[in-house]
Amino acid sequence: MTIVTQQRNANAFLCCYKIVVMKYIIVGGVAGGASAAARLRRLNEQAEIILFEKGSHISYANCGLPYYIGDVITDREQLFVQTPASFKQRFNIDARVLTEVLSIHPDTKTVKVKNVITGVESEETYDKLVLSPGAEPFRPPLDGVASEGIFTLRNVTDTDKIKDFVKDKKNGRAVIIGAGFIGLEMAENLHQLGMHITIVEMGNQILAPVDFPIAAIAQQHIRSKGVDLKLNTTVIGFEKETTHLKVLIKDAAPIDADVIILSIGVKADTRLARDAGLSLGDAKAILVNEFLQTSNKDIYAVGDAIEFKNNITGNSMSTYLAGPANKQGRICANNIVLGNTSKYHGSVNTAIVKIFDLTVATTGVASKHLSKANVNHITSTTHSGSHASYYPDSEQMTIQVNFDPVNGKILGAQIIGKDGVDKRIDTLSSIIQRGSDIYELMEFEHAYAPPFSSAKDPVNMVGFVAENIIEKRLKVVAWDKVSQIEDDDVLIDVRTLDEFNNGHIPGAINMPIDDLRDNFKMLDINKTLYIYCQIGLRGYLAQRILTQSGYDHVYNISGGYKLWEACNAESSIY
């Protein structure tokens, strides 16, 4: 049979049946919505697909916006992944920007929409609907918050306004309200433009997803750049002066500013879902099941506006990250076209941020949040080189891991350093996602050459230290327990005399590790001993010498003097 005859027979067969053309509507673009739309087209060429976006742009690199403001990215067009025209040409998707969905009517499977330019309203039917409304920046109801020169940053339109406003103020004063990821990125980029930066944070540290020790190191670095970082500081309002703005501070003097960036968090945009009768969860976001399906079987949801179970704490959570949103879009489209066959396994909130010369990364759950959720865990801190120390330009990174004290399951990890942070956090993220443990870290096989790592990679070292803790070969105490050492206990600094004289924990005696075997007998065997070195290794060796010599009450200060110094300095400021 010829190919032509085969095609004729196939066409005749299809003519006997009515082809059902599905109609999919996506509400909201950017990461989740645009990803879902493109995947729907790849799976169903015949479907009618309409994407509604109330903003001016359907798909753009929102994570790159601060860097465009700071002139790191100079070509504005590089921010755009797709335009309505390119979406139509490549994917045959009807992308309607500046069109707001006013309401969803699940009973009739229709949506009511309005063109925000003309005001004309219309109605569209759907077979399946995808909600990707995102989250809105929180704008506090404070006096003066609507003044000219006060901005939030969420989209390209916000970016254009900020960039235009600061172009003539490159030696001016910028105040960033909130020290989260976006706030810190904006601080760095406005600093790069030559502006004088003040960061105001109501909490006692920057970066709420990380623990204080990691934040403390970053805070010292931020201050070293001449940035005025104000923690435990509450903004109570704003005033517009003739030539500038004033940020009003509770129990303190106002701060003068030429531009103010509000970066104090976001909240899920749930209005459409709530009005349509869809279920919201404990986190006040759209509740979805493992297939990203809402409480209505024909409506799915993705991105910043949804919530799901945190597999570590068991609590409900949202995540405001582009990576998960993109993956959710793909999974959601699979389930719409192929049936509910693809499960979303949740997020471990893996995130990374550049803070001037340092990189901070996090995955899983911080120790403070594990404690709040009553999850039993141990925290360990290690310092390792980004690559072999004998190869030029090795940079030290600090890694903190939180793990189950019984089975070694890794629950969270944070890293701060200059080089190699990204690949280590990705390794730890993968292990946490799979519910694996510190024993896998011990055997993790990495690509090794002196420019890239050491024979024992920093993640291997994390595993080794954690195993020593679980096996009780190493007993650790956190930096903040040092102040609780009793007068009858002994605090021992096992660094060299020169290191000791350059700075040490008050009350410590110096007993260098290389002389310890000759001197430890002068220590009272019945007393509790607390040991530290610079970063932890020599302290561990000293502990092994002492415990194998009959000293039963020996503890190592986790992270060593380096971590204690950073944390103590930052905590003493306030």
Side-chain angles (χ1 to χ4, degrees):
M1 186 181 295
T2 66
I3 294 176
V4 173
T5 303
Q6 288 178 343
Q7 184 62 51
R8 286 173 179 167
N9 289 343
N11 291 339
F13 177 78
L14 291 172
C15 287
C16 296
Y17 296 88
K18 181 180 179 180
I19 298 176
V20 178
V21 177
M22 299 296 289
K23 184 175 181 180
Y24 305 132
I25 286 181
I26 298 94
V27 181
V30 198
S35 176
R39 180 66 173 173
L40 284 169
R41 173 58 74 217
R42 292 195 296 271
L43 293 176
N44 189 341
E45 179 61 26
Q46 282 71 43
E48 180 183 0
I49 304 174
I50 304 175
L51 186 152
F52 291 114
E53 169 56 54
K54 66 181 178 181
S56 303
H57 309 93
I58 59 168
S59 183
Y60 53 88
N62 53 351
C63 295
L65 301 181
Y67 299 98
Y68 173 63
I69 293 172
D71 287 341
V72 176
I73 298 170
T74 55
D75 185 355
R76 184 176 179 275
E77 294 305 308
Q78 290 183 341
L79 297 173
F80 300 105
V81 181
Q82 292 286 349
T83 65
S86 67
F87 229 38
K88 178 67 176 177
Q89 182 176 22
R90 177 156 296 180
F91 296 104
N92 191 27
I93 291 172
D94 183 4
R96 304 181 191 177
V97 296
L98 299 173
T99 305
E100 181 181 5
V101 175
L102 300 176
S103 58
I104 301 168
H105 305 280
D107 51 341
T108 58
K109 299 181 76 170
T110 59
V111 296
K112 184 178 180 181
V113 302
K114 181 180 76 172
N115 184 305
V116 300
I117 301 298
T118 65
V120 174
E121 296 183 3
S122 59
E123 188 175 86
E124 290 284 351
T125 61
Y126 66 84
D127 293 302
K128 300 288 183 182
L129 177 71
V130 179
L131 280 173
S132 179
E136 295 293 330
F138 182 66
R139 202 174 184 99
L142 299 176
D143 290 342
V145 74
S147 300
E148 182 186 13
I150 302 178
F151 301 93
T152 59
L153 176 62
R154 189 62 178 169
N155 52 42
V156 176
T157 301
D158 294 339
T159 303
D160 290 338
K161 290 178 180 177
I162 296 170
K163 192 173 180 68
D164 183 65
F165 190 84
V166 302
K167 66 182 180 182
D168 297 324
K169 299 178 175 62
K170 293 191 176 182
N171 292 315
R173 300 154 297 184
V175 177
I176 315 296
I177 314 296
F181 289 91
I182 297 297
L184 295 179
E185 288 174 343
M186 282 301 301
E188 178 181 351
N189 279 279
L190 292 177
H191 182 274
Q192 179 165 306
L193 293 179
M195 301 193 76
H196 303 281
I197 308 298
T198 299
I199 301 173
V200 179
E201 168 58 47
M202 187 168 61
N204 69 341
Q205 66 164 78
I206 65 170
L207 297 175
V210 309
D211 286 308
F212 182 75
I214 299 298
I217 297 172
Q219 287 164 196
Q220 287 194 318
H221 181 66
I222 290 170
R223 297 182 200 280
S224 76
K225 296 297 181 179
V227 172
D228 185 7
L229 175 59
K230 297 181 181 297
L231 302 174
N232 296 309
T233 302
T234 302
V235 176
I236 58 174
F238 306 92
E239 289 182 355
K240 176 68 174 175
E241 302 288 327
T242 304
T243 58
H244 62 280
L245 294 156
K246 281 187 178 294
V247 182
L248 305 182
I249 304 297
K250 182 180 179 181
D251 300 326
I255 304 170
D256 292 335
D258 296 299
V259 62
I260 298 169
I261 307 295
L262 298 176
S263 182
I264 52 180
V266 297
K267 56 182 178 179
D269 186 350
T270 60
R271 181 189 61 81
L272 286 173
R274 183 185 64 249
D275 292 349
L278 303 182
S279 296
L280 304 184
D282 294 337
K284 309 302 181 186
I286 303 170
L287 192 63
V288 295
N289 63 15
E290 60 190 347
F291 305 113
L292 298 171
Q293 194 173 33
T294 70
S295 54
N296 183 290
K297 67 181 179 64
D298 294 317
I299 302 177
Y300 292 72
V302 298
D304 294 355
I306 71 170
E307 67 174 79
F308 43 85
K309 180 182 177 182
N310 184 307
N311 293 323
I312 297 172
T313 65
N315 297 330
S316 195
M317 64 171 282
S318 296
T319 185
Y320 306 112
L321 299 169
N326 271 285
K327 298 172 183 67
Q328 290 162 11
R330 179 184 177 90
I331 292 169
C332 162
N334 289 348
N335 291 329
I336 287 173
V337 177
L338 306 174
N340 287 344
T341 56
S342 297
K343 293 182 179 181
Y344 180 61
H345 298 291
S347 167
V348 294
N349 271 355
T350 305
I352 192 166
V353 61
K354 178 181 178 294
I355 305 176
F356 295 100
D357 304 325
L358 290 180
T359 301
V360 178
T362 178
T363 184
V365 183
S367 175
K368 59 186 176 183
H369 299 313
L370 289 171
S371 296
K372 188 175 181 180
N374 296 315
V375 177
N376 191 23
H377 66 284
I378 293 176
T379 297
S380 172
T381 303
T382 57
H383 307 282
S384 301
S386 57
H387 57 253
S389 59
Y390 57 82
Y391 189 87
D393 300 325
S394 177
E395 297 284 356
Q396 197 170 81
M397 67 178 71
T398 299
I399 306 179
Q400 176 184 297
V401 292
N402 308 312
F403 57 93
D404 188 295
V406 177
N407 58 26
K409 179 180 177 180
I410 302 176
L411 307 173
Q414 300 156 36
I415 310 178
I416 184 167
K418 290 187 177 181
D419 182 43
V421 170
D422 52 346
K423 70 176 182 178
R424 272 73 182 207
I425 204 70
D426 289 344
T427 299
L428 291 161
S429 171
S430 175
I431 288 173
I432 292 172
Q433 281 184 299
R434 292 184 288 105
S436 194
D437 51 41
I438 57 101
Y439 302 103
E440 181 176 346
L441 285 183
M442 294 168 61
E443 298 184 12
F444 174 73
E445 185 174 343
H446 61 289
Y448 163 58
F452 306 104
S453 184
S454 298
K456 295 177 182 177
D457 190 78
V459 296
N460 295 138
M461 298 304 299
V462 168
F464 297 151
V465 171
E467 188 221 18
N468 283 333
I469 294 172
I470 287 180
E471 297 298 329
K472 295 183 169 48
R473 288 188 289 266
L474 174 62
K475 297 177 183 179
V476 295
V477 295
W479 73 273
D480 56 351
K481 302 300 181 185
V482 171
S483 61
Q484 301 173 21
I485 294 176
E486 297 181 0
D487 293 340
D488 198 43
D489 300 332
V490 181
L491 179 61
I492 306 171
D493 185 325
V494 298
R495 300 176 300 162
T496 66
L497 180 60
D498 285 343
E499 289 176 292
F500 181 82
N501 289 335
N502 284 333
H504 58 269
I505 300 175
I509 64 171
N510 183 225
M511 192 172 288
I513 176 67
D514 293 335
D515 302 327
L516 186 61
R517 288 183 179 88
D518 297 327
N519 296 322
F520 72 76
K521 290 183 180 179
M522 68 178 62
L523 298 170
D524 189 334
I525 202 167
N526 296 311
K527 289 190 174 184
T528 300
L529 310 179
Y530 292 90
I531 297 173
Y532 71 91
C533 62
Q534 185 67 18
I535 60 174
L537 176 58
R538 287 174 288 176
Y540 168 62
L541 297 177
Q543 187 177 46
R544 296 304 299 152
I545 292 170
L546 291 167
T547 55
Q548 294 179 87
S549 300
Y551 290 79
D552 295 328
H553 309 292
V554 186
Y555 297 88
N556 196 296
I557 298 173
S558 185
Y561 182 74
K562 176 181 178 178
L563 196 68
W564 177 87
E565 182 183 35
C567 294
N568 187 65
E570 282 298 311
S571 62
S572 65
I573 291 176
Y574 299 95

